[in-house]
Amino acid sequence: MRFTKIELEQFRDAVIPDLVADGVRLLFVGINPGLWTAATQTPFAHPGNRFFPALREAGIYDAGRSFSSGFNDADRRRFTDAGLGVTNLVRRATARADELSRHELREGAHALEARVAQWNPRVVAMVGLTSYRHGFDRPKALAGKQEVLLGGAELWVLANPSGLNAHETVSTLAASYAQPARSAGVV
């Protein structure tokens, strides 16, 4: 599946549903949906995103077929049946996360805490250190397990899997994503 830039722009500011079910043990939190994600209604679906390849390499989840064309209902069920979930700090789709304001990130942080308390996952893994720092007003936070809980859940802050994050590889992402997955009991 391919989209033109014009086609993707039609999804700007769209909201995708959370991919969360009862019994979620490990909740991944993205910064916000990208336009490709909004177009496919599938989190982290852009072909250059390394989220699903990192999950596969870490032994957390194998998306099987190409995830960039989007999940169908069976794929979504298989993902949530594995105890996994995905939501976003900010719900509106943009081409790049740097289009979000600090105000949006802070509002998103408050709303996220309420959703996490409702879903009650064992572990939350937020993928985006800078967005975490801005949204939760923790300017000196470091990647890894945090000393604070989020909505009663253990909190990890990890590198974002976007292809724009050139400092990370699938292997380094897999190694860091495996840590909260072990803590949540999904690997």
Side-chain angles (χ1 to χ4, degrees):
M1 181 178 287
R2 294 308 250 181
F3 298 101
T4 66
K5 286 184 180 186
I6 292 170
E7 289 170 330
L8 287 174
E9 274 301 318
Q10 296 173 29
F11 293 95
R12 183 170 291 280
D13 298 323
V15 174
I16 69 163
D18 296 313
L19 183 54
V20 179
D22 290 340
V24 62
R25 290 180 283 161
L26 174 57
L27 178 68
F28 285 97
V29 179
I31 300 167
N32 75 308
L35 300 180
W36 195 289
T37 286
T40 61
Q41 294 289 290
T42 301
F44 301 105
H46 189 279
N49 196 293
R50 296 160 301 174
F51 182 74
F52 288 108
L55 294 187
R56 181 181 301 122
E57 187 168 314
I60 298 168
Y61 178 78
D62 185 352
R65 64 180 179 73
S66 175
F67 53 88
S68 63
S69 59
F71 277 180
N72 60 32
D73 289 340
D75 295 328
R76 286 181 178 82
R77 202 169 28 261
R78 193 164 65 90
F79 187 83
T80 58
D81 285 352
L84 304 171
V86 176
T87 190
N88 287 290
L89 184 60
V90 174
R91 304 191 84 152
R92 75 178 183 96
T94 61
R96 295 174 51 109
D98 62 7
E99 296 175 39
L100 303 172
S101 70
R102 284 187 186 216
H103 177 73
E104 283 180 285
L105 294 170
R106 288 193 177 126
E107 282 185 341
H110 291 295
L112 174 65
E113 189 158 11
R115 291 194 312 275
V116 169
Q118 177 187 351
W119 293 327
N120 196 31
R122 181 171 179 183
V123 176
V124 171
M126 183 160 207
V127 292
L129 178 59
T130 301
S131 295
Y132 172 75
R133 287 174 175 165
H134 294 312
F136 288 88
D137 198 25
R138 297 187 177 278
K140 296 183 187 220
L142 300 175
K145 185 177 178 184
Q146 303 301 298
E147 293 180 10
V148 298
L149 300 178
L150 180 64
E154 183 178 296
L155 175 62
W156 291 71
V157 178
L158 308 168
N160 191 280
S162 167
L164 299 174
N165 185 359
H167 302 320
E168 298 291 337
T169 66
V170 169
S171 293
T172 60
L173 291 167
S176 67
Y177 292 6
Q179 294 173 353
R182 281 191 292 277
S183 188
V186 296
V187 292

